[in-house]
Amino acid sequence: MISTVRDVKLEQLPFSMRKWKTLLSYREDWVFLPYTVRSRIAEHEMIIDYLISLEEWLQPKLTIEMRQRVLIVQLIAAICEAVLCSLVDLKLRTKSADDKTFDRVLNSSFRYKPGKRTFKPTLELSRELSLISEPWASKLDHLVKIRNWIHLTNEEENELMNWIMDKSSEEHKKLLIDFRKYILTTI
Protein backbone atom coordinates (compact mmCIF):
# COMPACT_ATOMS: atom_id res chain seq x y z
CA MET A 1 0.00 0.00 0.00
CA ILE A 2 1.27 3.46 -0.88
CA SER A 3 1.59 5.53 2.24
CA THR A 4 3.28 8.73 1.10
CA VAL A 5 3.61 10.75 -2.07
CA ARG A 6 7.28 9.83 -2.10
CA ASP A 7 6.31 6.16 -2.63
CA VAL A 8 4.37 6.93 -5.81
CA LYS A 9 6.13 5.95 -9.00
CA LEU A 10 4.67 7.04 -12.32
CA GLU A 11 5.61 3.71 -13.86
CA GLN A 12 2.87 2.24 -11.68
CA LEU A 13 0.21 4.34 -13.39
CA PRO A 14 -1.66 1.96 -15.72
CA PHE A 15 -1.42 2.87 -19.39
CA SER A 16 -5.22 2.98 -19.56
CA MET A 17 -5.16 5.94 -17.15
CA ARG A 18 -2.49 7.94 -18.97
CA LYS A 19 -4.61 10.64 -20.57
CA TRP A 20 -1.86 12.92 -21.80
CA LYS A 21 -0.77 12.91 -25.43
CA THR A 22 2.28 14.22 -27.24
CA LEU A 23 2.85 17.97 -27.34
CA LEU A 24 2.55 17.85 -31.13
CA SER A 25 -1.00 16.51 -30.96
CA TYR A 26 -2.05 19.25 -28.54
CA ARG A 27 -0.40 21.87 -30.77
CA GLU A 28 -2.39 20.63 -33.75
CA ASP A 29 -5.63 21.27 -31.82
CA TRP A 30 -4.77 24.98 -31.68
CA VAL A 31 -3.34 25.40 -35.18
CA PHE A 32 -5.23 28.68 -35.70
CA LEU A 33 -3.04 30.42 -33.10
CA PRO A 34 0.52 31.76 -33.42
CA TYR A 35 3.11 29.03 -32.90
CA THR A 36 4.52 30.30 -29.59
CA VAL A 37 1.06 30.63 -28.04
CA ARG A 38 0.04 27.25 -29.44
CA SER A 39 3.15 25.66 -27.91
CA ARG A 40 2.53 27.14 -24.45
CA ILE A 41 -1.13 26.09 -24.59
CA ALA A 42 -0.07 22.57 -25.61
CA GLU A 43 2.15 22.34 -22.52
CA HIS A 44 -0.66 23.55 -20.24
CA GLU A 45 -3.15 21.15 -21.77
CA MET A 46 -0.72 18.26 -21.35
CA ILE A 47 -0.31 19.19 -17.67
CA ILE A 48 -4.12 19.28 -17.26
CA ASP A 49 -4.43 15.77 -18.67
CA TYR A 50 -1.52 14.61 -16.52
CA LEU A 51 -3.20 16.01 -13.38
CA ILE A 52 -6.51 14.41 -14.34
CA SER A 53 -4.71 11.07 -14.72
CA LEU A 54 -3.09 11.44 -11.30
CA GLU A 55 -6.41 12.40 -9.72
CA GLU A 56 -8.15 9.34 -11.13
CA TRP A 57 -5.30 7.07 -10.11
CA LEU A 58 -4.54 8.40 -6.64
CA GLN A 59 -8.09 9.49 -5.76
CA PRO A 60 -6.99 12.20 -3.33
CA LYS A 61 -9.42 13.56 -0.80
CA LEU A 62 -10.04 16.82 0.99
CA THR A 63 -7.37 19.46 0.57
CA ILE A 64 -5.32 17.77 -2.15
CA GLU A 65 -8.39 17.00 -4.27
CA MET A 66 -9.69 20.56 -3.88
CA ARG A 67 -6.33 22.23 -4.61
CA GLN A 68 -5.67 19.99 -7.60
CA ARG A 69 -9.12 20.71 -9.04
CA VAL A 70 -8.60 24.47 -8.56
CA LEU A 71 -5.22 24.20 -10.30
CA ILE A 72 -6.80 22.37 -13.25
CA VAL A 73 -9.46 25.08 -13.59
CA GLN A 74 -6.79 27.81 -13.34
CA LEU A 75 -4.82 26.15 -16.14
CA ILE A 76 -7.99 25.98 -18.25
CA ALA A 77 -8.58 29.67 -17.52
CA ALA A 78 -5.00 30.50 -18.56
CA ILE A 79 -5.57 28.73 -21.87
CA CYS A 80 -8.88 30.52 -22.50
CA GLU A 81 -7.20 33.82 -21.67
CA ALA A 82 -4.33 33.15 -24.11
CA VAL A 83 -6.71 32.14 -26.89
CA LEU A 84 -8.86 35.24 -26.47
CA CYS A 85 -5.82 37.51 -26.17
CA SER A 86 -4.40 36.14 -29.44
CA LEU A 87 -7.73 36.49 -31.23
CA VAL A 88 -8.26 40.04 -29.94
CA ASP A 89 -4.76 41.03 -31.04
CA LEU A 90 -5.34 39.55 -34.50
CA LYS A 91 -8.74 41.24 -34.85
CA LEU A 92 -7.40 44.64 -33.77
CA ARG A 93 -4.44 44.37 -36.17
CA THR A 94 -6.79 43.66 -39.07
CA LYS A 95 -9.40 46.32 -38.24
CA SER A 96 -9.42 49.46 -40.30
CA ALA A 97 -8.86 52.82 -38.63
CA ASP A 98 -12.29 54.04 -39.79
CA ASP A 99 -14.12 51.17 -38.08
CA LYS A 100 -16.26 52.55 -35.23
CA THR A 101 -15.69 49.52 -32.99
CA PHE A 102 -11.95 49.80 -33.48
CA ASP A 103 -12.04 53.51 -32.67
CA ARG A 104 -14.17 52.90 -29.55
CA VAL A 105 -11.80 50.17 -28.35
CA LEU A 106 -8.71 52.29 -28.90
CA ASN A 107 -10.26 55.18 -26.97
CA SER A 108 -11.84 53.13 -24.22
CA SER A 109 -10.49 52.07 -20.87
CA PHE A 110 -9.34 48.81 -22.49
CA ARG A 111 -6.32 50.54 -24.06
CA TYR A 112 -5.00 48.30 -26.81
CA LYS A 113 -1.75 46.77 -25.67
CA PRO A 114 -0.95 43.63 -27.69
CA GLY A 115 -0.55 40.64 -25.41
CA LYS A 116 -0.43 42.85 -22.32
CA ARG A 117 -3.93 42.42 -20.91
CA THR A 118 -5.21 40.31 -18.08
CA PHE A 119 -8.17 37.97 -18.50
CA LYS A 120 -10.99 40.34 -17.53
CA PRO A 121 -10.11 43.15 -19.96
CA THR A 122 -9.42 40.57 -22.66
CA LEU A 123 -12.85 39.03 -22.13
CA GLU A 124 -14.43 42.50 -22.25
CA LEU A 125 -12.58 43.26 -25.49
CA SER A 126 -13.73 39.92 -26.92
CA ARG A 127 -17.32 40.92 -26.19
CA GLU A 128 -16.81 44.41 -27.66
CA LEU A 129 -15.31 42.99 -30.85
CA SER A 130 -18.00 40.27 -31.11
CA LEU A 131 -15.38 37.52 -30.92
CA ILE A 132 -17.36 35.63 -28.31
CA SER A 133 -21.05 35.10 -27.69
CA GLU A 134 -22.67 36.30 -24.50
CA PRO A 135 -23.40 32.72 -23.30
CA TRP A 136 -19.71 31.86 -23.70
CA ALA A 137 -18.61 35.10 -22.09
CA SER A 138 -20.81 34.26 -19.10
CA LYS A 139 -19.23 30.81 -18.81
CA LEU A 140 -15.78 32.38 -18.85
CA ASP A 141 -16.71 34.96 -16.18
CA HIS A 142 -16.32 32.19 -13.57
CA LEU A 143 -12.89 31.36 -14.91
CA VAL A 144 -11.79 35.00 -14.70
CA LYS A 145 -12.43 35.04 -10.96
CA ILE A 146 -10.89 31.62 -10.36
CA ARG A 147 -7.80 32.51 -12.42
CA ASN A 148 -7.08 35.33 -9.97
CA TRP A 149 -6.93 32.87 -7.08
CA ILE A 150 -3.41 32.08 -8.24
CA HIS A 151 -2.55 35.13 -6.13
CA LEU A 152 -2.78 33.57 -2.69
CA THR A 153 -3.82 36.86 -1.17
CA ASN A 154 -7.08 36.80 -3.18
CA GLU A 155 -10.02 35.39 -1.30
CA GLU A 156 -11.76 32.33 -2.71
CA GLU A 157 -15.53 32.58 -3.01
CA ASN A 158 -17.54 29.65 -1.64
CA GLU A 159 -19.97 29.77 -4.56
CA LEU A 160 -17.14 29.40 -7.08
CA MET A 161 -15.41 26.73 -4.99
CA ASN A 162 -18.67 24.77 -5.00
CA TRP A 163 -18.90 25.26 -8.78
CA ILE A 164 -15.41 23.78 -9.13
CA MET A 165 -15.99 20.83 -6.81
CA ASP A 166 -19.47 19.99 -8.16
CA LYS A 167 -17.83 19.06 -11.47
CA SER A 168 -15.23 16.42 -12.10
CA SER A 169 -11.89 17.40 -13.57
CA GLU A 170 -13.00 15.69 -16.79
CA GLU A 171 -16.09 17.94 -16.92
CA HIS A 172 -13.91 21.01 -16.50
CA LYS A 173 -11.64 19.74 -19.29
CA LYS A 174 -14.74 19.28 -21.48
CA LEU A 175 -15.42 23.00 -21.04
CA LEU A 176 -12.01 23.68 -22.62
CA ILE A 177 -12.69 21.26 -25.47
CA ASP A 178 -16.10 22.85 -26.10
CA PHE A 179 -14.50 26.31 -25.97
CA ARG A 180 -11.97 25.31 -28.63
CA LYS A 181 -14.76 23.90 -30.84
CA TYR A 182 -16.77 27.08 -30.36
CA ILE A 183 -13.81 29.30 -31.27
CA LEU A 184 -13.13 27.22 -34.36
CA THR A 185 -16.69 27.89 -35.57
CA THR A 186 -16.31 31.65 -35.08
CA ILE A 187 -12.97 32.33 -36.77
Side-chain angles (χ1 to χ4, degrees):
M1 181 168 162
I2 298 172
S3 59
T4 67
V5 174
R6 196 173 319 129
D7 294 335
V8 175
K9 293 181 177 35
L10 270 181
E11 309 85 66
Q12 297 169 336
L13 179 69
F15 279 102
S16 62
M17 295 182 112
R18 296 179 189 194
K19 297 186 178 294
W20 63 93
K21 308 178 291 187
T22 65
L23 281 173
L24 179 61
S25 63
Y26 290 109
R27 266 190 226 112
E28 290 171 354
D29 290 341
W30 302 97
V31 72
F32 57 92
L33 295 171
Y35 183 78
T36 53
V37 175
R38 184 170 62 227
S39 293
R40 303 267 325 269
I41 287 174
E43 292 169 358
H44 276 63
E45 198 168 1
M46 179 186 256
I47 291 167
I48 291 166
D49 285 341
Y50 172 79
L51 290 171
I52 290 171
S53 296
L54 286 180
E55 182 180 339
E56 287 180 11
W57 181 44
L58 298 174
Q59 299 178 353
K61 298 294 176 217
L62 303 170
T63 304
I64 293 175
E65 178 186 31
M66 186 173 30
R67 290 293 124 215
Q68 185 166 322
R69 190 89 40 91
V70 168
L71 181 58
I72 288 168
V73 173
Q74 287 173 325
L75 289 169
I76 290 168
I79 291 171
C80 293
E81 177 183 0
V83 169
L84 289 179
C85 195
S86 290
L87 294 177
V88 163
D89 289 347
L90 179 64
K91 180 91 168 196
L92 289 176
R93 278 196 305 268
T94 59
K95 284 268 184 205
S96 67
D98 60 345
D99 186 297
K100 289 182 174 137
T101 302
F102 182 74
D103 188 51
R104 190 170 51 246
V105 167
L106 283 179
N107 294 311
S108 73
S109 61
F110 299 131
R111 298 287 182 244
Y112 175 54
K113 297 175 193 146
K116 301 290 184 196
R117 289 177 303 280
T118 58
F119 200 173
K120 186 172 177 138
T122 301
L123 184 55
E124 290 172 11
L125 267 171
S126 299
R127 283 177 166 131
E128 180 79 15
L129 296 169
S130 302
L131 287 171
I132 192 163
S133 69
E134 195 50 44
W136 264 104
S138 293
K139 288 179 188 182
L140 297 180
D141 278 331
H142 279 11
L143 296 182
V144 168
K145 293 175 186 166
I146 294 164
R147 172 103 166 99
N148 288 332
W149 293 354
I150 198 76
H151 306 288
L152 298 180
T153 56
N154 286 2
E155 192 168 330
E156 296 177 344
E157 299 173 28
N158 286 336
E159 177 188 331
L160 288 174
M161 186 56 81
N162 291 338
W163 179 81
I164 292 170
M165 296 309 292
D166 286 346
K167 293 178 175 66
S168 70
S169 293
E170 285 285 355
E171 289 171 309
H172 288 295
K173 174 69 191 272
K174 185 173 179 337
L175 175 75
L176 178 61
I177 292 166
D178 291 346
F179 176 70
R180 182 181 63 237
K181 289 176 183 174
Y182 167 75
I183 292 296
L184 282 169
T185 65
T186 63
I187 56 172

